[in-house]
Amino acid sequence: MKRFLILLAVMLGVGIGAAQTTITYWQYDYKTRVDAMTQLIAQFEAANPDIKVVQETFPYDGYQQQVAASLPAGQGADVAQLFYGWLPTWQRAGYVIPLPEQYFDAAELDTNFAPLVQAAKVDGTWYGLPTAVRSLALFYNADMLKDAGYDAPPATWEEFVEIAEALTEKQGSRFVQVGYGFAPNGQDHHLLREVLFRQFGGAPYSDDNSKVTYDSEAGVAALTFYTDWVTKYGFAVPEFVPGNNGYRDGFRQLQNIAMIVDGSFAIGDVRKVDFNWGVTELPVRADNGIKSNFGSFFMNALTPNAAKDPAKLEAASKFLKFVTSDDAMKLWLDVVGELPASRTLIADPELAADPIYGPFVRALDYAHATVFVDETGQRDVLIDAINEVVLQGTSPAVALKEAAAAEQLLLDANR
Amino acid sequence: MRKPAGAPRRRLSLSSREAIWAYAFLLIPLAFFLFFRLWPAVQSLRLSFFTWHVDPEQRVFIGLQYYREMAANIAAKGDLYKALRNMLYYFLIVVFGQVALGLFSAVLLDSVRRLRGLFRAIYFAPYVTPAAAVAWVWGWMYSVNFGIFNKFLSDWSDLVTSIGLPWLAVDPQPFLTSPKQALVAVAAVVVWQQLGFQVVIFLAGLQGIPRTMLEAAAIDGANGWQRFWSITFPLLNPVLVFSLVISTISTLQMFDQVQNINFTDQGGPLGSTLTIALYMYQQAFQKFRIGYAAAVTVLLFVIIMIVTLVQLRLTQRKVEY
């Protein structure tokens, strides 16, 4: 009898253990983001002892490949992080599922999240939520500016050009220091699309996003101004520091790049540098003062794996709610540096006045989140236009015309 | 004692038993080939007729639509056209570069008696180095402002200018950021990296050539060049065919180097280094168009098959030993 009771107790114990639901969370590997998520998971598990969350990360370049290969085999993430621009591609191929109505109230989400976050919807349906949003700003090496006799960062593009030229150094025919970290394949294609096209009086797309509209006088002026940094003023050099992150490495580690345009996600890493630096809102043109910015976010979405059984769906939904709660956003801000995605938190006047977060927060008021249909394809179109001008000597008008035609094909094909 | 029932069991002959065992052992690689090679290839062909969706039930049969899209892309000189054009250039530079340099180095190494193992290791080291690491280091070496090649060029230019010969000076070269130079720069890396493999193959071939033939020719008065052309080269034919085919297949599948080396954009500035494998990867894993990517793999398969058959045809000669 005693033996039977012990056996029963062991079986019950195993039974209780088995009742725990395990879900898998995937994101790309970026140290501060992984740190933040590790802390969030620990908090979530403490509050939900019946749920275990396994975090798995992959290098950015191979992240989508892992997702594309694993989910069709029923493996991998239940909750996955993705760039909002990838959503149309992922949704078309069924890699994300709509947020289940029983756990998420669409109307509530509309009110709670910053307007920018509407880009997490496809045809009016929510497919995921972000913990944080980001905008662009100009990071500058304050020591370099000071040495060149500048006390303040540029407020206009005219000042920007002057400072960047002053901070560029050459030895013979080779550059040893440049004023600006030129990165069309970094954030600069966003800078051109959502900032410069608009500041020069145009717009990248029609209001319903069905037509490309940058093939205009304003567009050509914007592309000319941007490519002049390389071809006319010579303070920007393609691939000055080799690598996809070369512009960041040159700014942070090598200290041979004086200014870069980067997202708020870079704050966490820039903080670790050992020189004086600052960040300021993107410059404007002196004659019209139009402000514009690119707003974006990485969102967390549920995959078809999460929908396999109700317990998993509940656990994954709970986890998604937790990592997109106000408390999680505050932690994310501290650890990663990205801005909270909730309306109330972002409206905090203290945040807007902060010398580091302030420029990004203020930019959210006039930021546009491009409505992509094929982020990779649309990105390549503008990068090619820039390369045509700076590497091939094509005129900006011709390069832009070709780009607009190519991008229009992408828009038409994916609608 | 029991009497054996029925007719006595007929024993198989030794050769039959050997054959059975041979087939039994062959079954393992055969099964491996069928399940891990042939079956995925068939699946990929099947996939190329369907739109892609995670859920197999939501994949829609679209027949040859992706093949028509590929044809349209080529006609419009799109990315697939660029990839195909680049493959031709890669093929010409890499395959002939590798085979010629591999043979040349092997002949030199074959005549070296001392430290042969060391030389072989030196040649082979790049081949076993991960392509990503190779690409990263070469990316820096090619850098316009910090790379060793341009440092050399600028030092050279300073030198010739200082001694009054400025017309010998060479400007710094953009290498990877130039749409005209990027492909050759990448091809050079691939030739360098895979040379060791070719050298080892050719060395093995050279060592299989009977010394007596070469000695006899030497006694008859043939010089080194004549011995190479009339004896060594023809006898190396089987090795040459092997080397050519392997090199062609690996070149047509080129991916790692182009994916990992730094350019102004993936696949080189303005698609100047894009390969079919990279194009396929971008379609499958960045755009999640796995059906279309499958159609591209079918195209790649057909190209490799045709090129290999043509090569075998052209290089097949009876070799008399």
Side-chain angles (χ1 to χ4, degrees):
Chain A
M1 185 65 192
K2 194 177 168 190
R3 210 179 260 180
F4 172 76
L5 281 174
I6 292 172
L7 192 67
L8 190 72
V10 168
M11 282 169 72
L12 276 173
V14 171
I16 290 165
Q20 193 181 48
T21 309
T22 300
I23 54 169
T24 305
Y25 177 76
W26 275 18
Q27 66 166 330
Y28 78 88
D29 195 3
Y30 191 93
K31 193 174 178 310
T32 52
R33 301 168 71 91
V34 177
D35 288 349
M37 191 47 75
T38 307
Q39 293 182 37
L40 287 176
I41 289 172
Q43 289 181 8
F44 177 75
E45 285 180 341
N48 298 277
D50 56 334
I51 303 173
K52 184 173 164 44
V53 184
V54 179
Q55 179 181 207
E56 291 173 4
T57 62
F58 305 90
Y60 183 83
D61 289 338
Y63 179 66
Q64 291 209 79
Q65 177 192 354
Q66 289 291 340
V67 173
S70 300
L71 290 186
Q75 305 288 317
D78 299 299
V79 183
Q81 199 179 67
L82 66 148
F83 185 57
Y84 88 96
W86 301 341
L87 177 62
T89 322
W90 287 43
Q91 189 267 340
R92 277 196 292 270
Y95 284 74
V96 285
I97 57 167
L99 294 186
E101 282 171 20
Q102 68 266 41
Y103 303 112
F104 296 91
D105 178 1
E108 205 178 291
L109 300 182
D110 282 331
T111 354
N112 291 354
F113 282 87
L116 184 77
V117 180
Q118 290 290 321
K121 283 181 181 173
V122 176
D123 298 331
T125 305
W126 285 99
Y127 273 87
L129 293 169
T131 305
V133 294
R134 64 262 284 266
S135 56
L136 302 178
L138 186 78
F139 288 83
Y140 58 94
N141 182 320
D143 290 341
M144 278 191 200
L145 260 71
K146 201 174 164 198
D147 290 345
Y150 296 98
D151 296 337
T156 65
W157 286 117
E158 288 77 1
E159 289 171 14
F160 167 82
V161 169
E162 186 195 320
I163 296 176
E165 277 188 297
L167 292 170
T168 300
E169 279 176 32
K170 275 180 114 173
Q171 260 173 18
S173 53
R174 303 202 295 164
F175 289 86
V176 289
Q177 180 180 302
V178 293
Y180 180 70
F182 189 71
N185 55 347
Q187 298 300 316
D188 284 10
H189 69 100
H190 297 304
L191 172 73
L192 178 63
R193 188 187 289 108
E194 293 295 356
V195 182
L196 293 176
F197 284 153
R198 292 181 194 275
Q199 289 187 340
F200 277 77
Y205 309 103
S206 59
D207 287 343
D208 64 353
N209 294 301
S210 66
K211 290 274 173 278
V212 176
T213 54
Y214 54 69
D215 180 20
S216 63
E217 221 170 278
V220 174
L223 180 61
T224 308
F225 176 66
Y226 174 72
T227 51
D228 274 353
W229 300 354
V230 178
T231 56
K232 182 175 165 190
Y233 303 114
F235 61 71
V237 178
E239 285 290 299
F240 174 62
V241 174
N244 291 341
N245 284 319
Y247 73 107
R248 284 180 192 146
D249 298 339
F251 180 75
R252 289 180 208 156
Q253 274 102 38
L254 304 172
Q255 295 178 39
N256 56 10
I257 294 177
M259 297 184 279
I260 58 168
V261 167
D262 216 342
S264 31
F265 49 85
I267 295 172
D269 280 330
V270 176
R271 273 199 190 121
K272 295 171 194 157
V273 300
D274 57 0
F275 58 84
N276 291 310
W277 63 282
V279 61
T280 185
E281 278 178 81
L282 291 180
V284 293
R285 294 180 66 202
D287 60 349
N288 64 17
I290 295 176
K291 287 185 169 190
S292 188
N293 206 299
F294 169 65
S296 64
F297 53 91
F298 265 83
M299 55 196 268
N300 298 293
L302 304 179
T303 73
N305 283 350
K308 276 181 188 161
D309 75 84
K312 213 162 207 192
L313 188 62
E314 188 185 351
S317 300
K318 262 190 186 172
F319 180 65
L320 178 57
K321 270 195 162 172
F322 177 77
V323 296
T324 55
S325 66
D326 281 9
D327 286 341
M329 289 181 192
K330 284 179 196 156
L331 185 144
W332 200 266
L333 174 74
D334 286 340
V335 180
V336 185
E338 283 188 311
L339 311 171
S342 106
R343 261 179 223 264
T344 42
L345 290 181
I346 207 77
D348 179 0
E350 205 178 307
L351 201 58
D354 186 279
I356 294 169
Y357 299 125
F360 296 100
V361 175
R362 292 194 293 276
L364 284 175
D365 283 341
Y366 51 84
H368 304 266
T370 313
V371 180
F372 288 108
V373 293
D374 172 359
E375 196 260 346
T376 315
Q378 290 175 269
R379 168 188 172 281
D380 285 349
V381 159
L382 273 197
I383 294 173
D384 281 356
I386 295 165
N387 281 337
E388 282 281 356
V389 180
V390 299
L391 306 178
Q392 297 280 68
T394 310
S395 83
V398 171
L400 210 56
K401 199 178 179 64
E402 283 173 11
E407 192 166 357
Q408 189 62 53
L409 286 179
L410 289 175
L411 296 191
D412 294 344
N414 290 297
R415 262 173 215 286
Chain B
M1 228 173 122
R2 267 196 295 166
K3 267 175 94 175
R9 210 149 51 106
R10 277 200 14 222
R11 297 195 58 145
L12 289 167
S13 70
L14 182 65
S15 62
S16 305
R17 271 183 293 150
E18 274 182 351
I20 288 171
W21 277 111
Y23 282 114
F25 280 119
L26 273 176
L27 268 181
I28 298 165
L30 182 71
F32 181 84
F33 179 78
L34 287 177
F35 288 113
F36 292 100
R37 298 270 180 192
L38 199 64
W39 179 240
V42 172
Q43 280 297 314
S44 142
L45 178 68
R46 190 178 157 271
L47 213 57
S48 72
F49 302 124
F50 288 85
T51 60
W52 178 252
H53 197 278
V54 166
D55 177 4
E57 286 177 11
Q58 294 193 48
R59 294 172 197 167
V60 181
F61 180 77
I62 52 161
L64 294 172
Q65 194 177 310
Y66 286 139
Y67 293 90
R68 281 194 286 271
E69 187 181 333
M70 287 198 295
N73 188 308
I74 294 168
K77 299 199 171 178
D79 283 349
L80 182 58
Y81 167 83
K82 285 181 192 167
L84 288 168
R85 180 200 60 193
N86 294 344
M87 296 316 296
L88 179 67
Y89 295 145
Y90 280 125
F91 171 73
L92 293 174
I93 302 172
V94 175
V95 175
F96 292 107
Q98 268 181 15
V99 172
L101 281 175
L103 181 58
F104 179 69
S105 314
V107 170
L108 289 184
L109 270 180
D110 194 42
S111 55
V112 172
R113 292 277 163 259
R114 280 174 160 191
L115 301 175
R116 190 186 277 182
L118 176 72
F119 283 117
R120 209 181 295 190
I122 290 171
Y123 273 100
F124 206 66
Y127 185 71
V128 290
T129 310
V134 166
W136 189 78
V137 171
W138 276 82
W140 271 92
M141 298 205 314
Y142 278 135
S143 164
V144 181
N145 294 286
F146 309 107
I148 191 152
F149 297 131
N150 276 317
K151 171 89 174 66
F152 173 76
L153 283 180
S154 78
D155 287 352
W156 163 257
S157 299
D158 290 348
L159 177 76
V160 291
T161 311
S162 69
I163 56 169
L165 300 168
W167 48 274
L168 279 174
V170 184
D171 286 337
Q173 296 300 308
F175 297 119
L176 297 175
T177 54
S178 157
K180 290 196 181 75
Q181 295 179 8
L183 185 139
V184 181
V186 174
V189 178
V190 180
V191 171
W192 170 82
Q193 197 187 5
Q194 304 202 337
L195 191 61
F197 177 75
Q198 301 289 339
V199 169
V200 169
I201 299 290
F202 280 120
L203 264 181
L206 285 171
Q207 280 157 18
I209 293 173
R211 297 272 148 196
T212 47
M213 285 194 180
L214 294 165
E215 282 161 12
I219 291 167
D220 286 346
N223 63 25
W225 189 242
Q226 286 168 330
R227 286 199 299 270
F228 177 77
W229 268 123
S230 307
I231 299 170
T232 312
F233 194 70
L235 290 183
L236 267 182
N237 193 51
V239 180
L240 197 70
V241 173
F242 174 78
S243 152
L244 211 59
V245 170
I246 291 291
S247 169
T248 303
I249 293 174
S250 77
T251 304
L252 292 175
Q253 293 177 337
M254 240 172 85
F255 174 79
D256 290 349
Q257 293 86 353
V258 185
Q259 163 80 347
N260 290 302
I261 212 162
N262 303 307
F263 303 106
T264 53
D265 195 19
Q266 205 179 36
L270 300 168
S272 57
T273 64
L274 187 68
T275 64
I276 297 184
L278 181 58
Y279 176 73
M280 186 201 79
Y281 173 85
Q282 289 173 343
Q283 294 293 328
F285 300 120
Q286 289 177 351
K287 301 191 171 202
F288 287 21
R289 299 185 71 214
I290 293 178
Y292 179 73
V296 178
T297 62
V298 174
L299 175 72
L300 183 59
F301 170 77
V302 171
I303 292 173
I304 291 180
M305 196 174 68
I306 292 173
V307 173
T308 309
L309 288 177
V310 169
Q311 276 181 339
L312 285 174
R313 196 67 195 235
L314 290 178
T315 47
Q316 223 166 34
R317 279 186 289 155
K318 276 259 184 269
V319 183
E320 299 279 343
Y321 284 96

